[in-house]
């Protein structure tokens, strides 16, 4: 089960502020420290410490920038369909606290 703690209030994947059909990235103000259980995240702007409780969630967060949307990042990290709602909740929480943010889609000239 995916979990990100330190996210604060309860946020759901259906939160209008988080759209998994859009492109996201890890905030440049967030440092990732890999750990055996997953990773510690430190946000230098808010001084908030968060935990990614699975290595697979770490792979999703670190791979967000390489994919056109969150769904593609989940697929690339091998997240099973049954686990996706938990991962989407975790990512919505990370979006709510500024750990990940929506990125602009690049357009062709």
């Amino acid at each position: 089960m995916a979990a990100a703690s330190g996210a604060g209030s309860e946020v759901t994947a259906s939160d209008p502020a988080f759209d998994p059909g859009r492109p996201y990235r890890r905030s440049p103000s967030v440092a990732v420290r890999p750990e055996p259980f997953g990773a510690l995240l430190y946000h230098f702007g808010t001084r908030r410490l968060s935990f990614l409780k699975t290595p697979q969630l770490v792979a999703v967060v670190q791979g967000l920038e390489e994919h056109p949307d969150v769904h593609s990042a989940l697929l690339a990290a091998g997240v099973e369909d049954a686990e996706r709602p938990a991962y989407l909740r975790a990512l919505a929480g990370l979006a709510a606290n500024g750990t990940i943010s929506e990125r602009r889609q690049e357009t062709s000239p």
Side-chain angles (χ1 to χ4, degrees):
M1 176 195 229
S5 64
S9 63
E10 184 67 28
V11 181
T12 65
S14 61
D15 187 317
F18 176 71
D19 179 357
R22 312 256 329 142
Y24 279 79
R25 67 182 179 125
R26 178 177 47 89
S27 169
S29 299
V30 172
V32 177
R33 186 174 101 185
E35 295 288 342
F37 60 82
L40 293 172
L41 303 177
Y42 181 75
H43 193 295
F44 289 99
T46 64
R47 296 184 178 182
R48 180 177 290 236
L49 182 65
S50 300
F51 300 87
L52 300 184
K53 296 182 179 179
T54 68
Q56 197 171 29
L57 183 56
V58 176
V60 172
V61 170
Q62 291 183 321
L64 284 172
E65 196 156 358
E66 300 170 14
H67 299 283
D69 55 42
V70 172
H71 296 297
S72 298
L74 292 170
L75 183 65
V79 176
E80 299 291 329
D81 289 342
E83 296 176 322
R84 286 183 187 224
Y87 277 78
L88 290 173
R89 283 190 301 275
L91 292 167
L94 294 172
N97 73 20
T99 300
I100 64 172
S101 59
E102 190 173 336
R103 70 177 201 276
R104 293 180 183 238
Q105 288 182 317
E106 297 177 13
T107 57
S108 303

